Amino acid sequence: MLKRILGTRGSRLALAQSTLIADALRAAHPGLEVELRVITTRGDRILDVALSAVGDKGLFVKELEQALLAAEVDFCVHSCKDLPSIVPDGLTLAAFPERVDPRDMLVLRAETPAAGQVALEALPRGAVVGTSSLRRACQIRALRPDLDLRDVRGNVDTRLRKLAEGHYDALVLATAGLERLGLFGADGRLRSDGAAFVAAPVPADTMLPAVAQGILAIECRAGDAETLALLAPLDHGPSRAAALAERAFLRRLEGGCQVPIAAYATLDAPDRLRLRGLVGSLDGATVVRGERSGPVEAAERLGTALAEALLEQGAAEVLTALTGRGQR
């Protein structure tokens, strides 16, 4: 029997995502055996420090890629937004399954909202909002500088428990993760560990998503032709184009967890891509935005071109102030 080993982190969300891909792969290739092998990453071990303070992109990826290169596993499933913009030599991103909702989600305790309002604009002055993302914090501060933003770490259930206990008035989380965990009931309420919450997506026009948010990336060895062929049916063309454009944007800006960068690509037409992007300061006082459109087959060039345009419009100065690196 043909068998492949899937390397995955051990979090509930990572296992849910990897199980989704394993099931899709078995459906595409009846008789294929897929074994999940849990690998602990540095990001899984550091739970009490803000991501922006402990390192850059790769915190949730490096050990998985090392296992791939050592041929201990055959492929890995990542949240694409966790991936560094450069793939190590010898590895390749073999497939990008269809993207799910890339927007951020505002979550409040069920008893909190007045008249059912769940929106950043409706939060009371001085409300405590939990987020571990500098990208989200920058955009929230630009919209609502009066809010009290505080870091929150841990898996989704841990964060929701902290919200239920009153440590925060609201959380901002990725919609994709909440949906993949199956936390929404038929009534639209979000439930975790017996607590109920209300939630609503934050429009992309209000808060631009993280690079490749809502997209899964399947990584394998570049020379493993058989595994590449097995994974090919899971690749979704529009999602691949979006991921390539957004990642090229990030790569040109040399950004990571320590820089507020956002990008979101959508299809304007079957063969045309629209890419929006931003770079901001930590306090939200400066936000440089732009957009570009172009053919789907030029996705990476589109991402690079938008990054170049933002650098010329002032993003270079913002990045230099944040990282000390000059931009050419």
Side-chain angles (χ1 to χ4, degrees):
M1 177 181 288
L2 188 61
K3 178 179 178 179
R4 286 295 181 273
I5 299 175
L6 188 171
T8 177
R9 293 170 54 212
S11 73
R12 182 182 170 195
L13 178 57
L15 289 171
Q17 293 177 162
S18 293
T19 299
L20 184 73
I21 296 303
D23 289 345
L25 200 56
R26 295 185 190 106
H29 307 286
L32 174 66
E33 181 182 349
V34 181
E35 174 191 332
L36 269 62
R37 182 168 299 174
V38 174
I39 297 170
T40 302
T41 69
R42 183 172 177 235
D44 296 314
R45 292 190 293 269
I46 303 173
L47 298 176
D48 57 350
V49 181
L51 291 177
S52 58
V54 296
D56 219 317
K57 289 274 189 179
L59 277 174
F60 298 104
V61 174
K62 184 177 180 181
E63 288 82 358
L64 291 165
E65 291 182 329
Q66 288 173 337
L68 267 177
L69 290 168
E72 296 169 1
V73 299
D74 297 302
F75 65 99
C76 295
V77 176
H78 308 286
S79 292
C80 195
K81 68 184 180 69
D82 291 336
L83 283 173
S85 58
I86 297 176
V87 177
D89 291 341
L91 301 180
T92 187
L93 300 182
F96 298 90
E98 187 171 2
R99 187 178 213 166
V100 299
D101 194 335
R103 293 174 295 177
D104 294 299
M105 182 78 72
L106 181 67
V107 183
L108 290 77
R109 290 184 295 278
E111 70 275 10
T112 299
Q117 283 190 311
V118 184
L120 284 170
E121 297 85 350
L123 291 176
R125 186 174 183 82
V128 177
V129 179
T131 175
S132 58
S133 161
L134 297 183
R135 169 193 62 84
R136 291 172 182 146
C138 167
Q139 295 182 81
I140 293 171
R141 287 183 175 120
L143 178 70
R144 290 287 309 272
D146 60 290
L147 296 177
D148 181 2
L149 303 189
R150 300 184 189 177
D151 191 69
V152 57
R153 285 295 314 276
N155 59 35
V156 170
D157 290 322
T158 298
R159 298 184 191 198
L160 290 172
R161 185 180 69 249
K162 291 177 180 178
L163 175 61
E165 292 172 348
H167 297 285
Y168 306 90
D169 297 311
L171 295 178
V172 183
L173 302 169
T175 299
L178 297 173
E179 291 183 345
R180 287 182 176 132
L181 285 170
L183 296 180
F184 288 100
D187 59 357
R189 289 288 178 94
L190 186 65
R191 289 181 170 81
S192 175
D193 291 336
F197 308 88
V198 290
V202 182
D205 288 339
T206 300
M207 186 180 296
L208 211 59
V211 166
Q213 187 159 300
I215 301 177
L216 297 179
I218 308 177
E219 188 176 30
C220 72
R221 290 180 292 280
D224 188 348
E226 189 172 25
T227 298
L228 284 165
L230 290 171
L231 294 172
L234 304 190
D235 193 50
H236 182 252
S239 299
R240 170 175 285 274
L244 293 179
E246 294 170 25
R247 284 171 55 77
F249 175 79
L250 179 70
R251 185 163 55 247
R252 176 62 187 92
L253 296 173
E254 301 179 12
C257 295
Q258 296 165 313
V259 180
I261 292 175
Y264 182 33
T266 54
L267 287 180
D268 271 353
D271 59 351
R272 195 158 185 84
L273 206 61
R274 176 197 181 199
L275 176 64
R276 288 175 280 173
L278 70 79
V279 177
S281 59
L282 297 179
D283 61 4
T286 301
V287 180
V288 184
R289 302 175 184 267
E291 71 172 72
R292 286 288 187 278
S293 294
V296 166
E297 60 269 21
E300 290 188 278
R301 292 199 299 274
L302 184 65
T304 302
L306 179 56
E308 296 281 3
L310 265 58
L311 288 170
E312 293 177 3
Q313 294 168 23
E317 289 75 11
V318 173
L319 291 169
T320 298
L322 285 170
T323 68
R325 292 194 305 262
Q327 296 285 325
R328 297 193 301 273

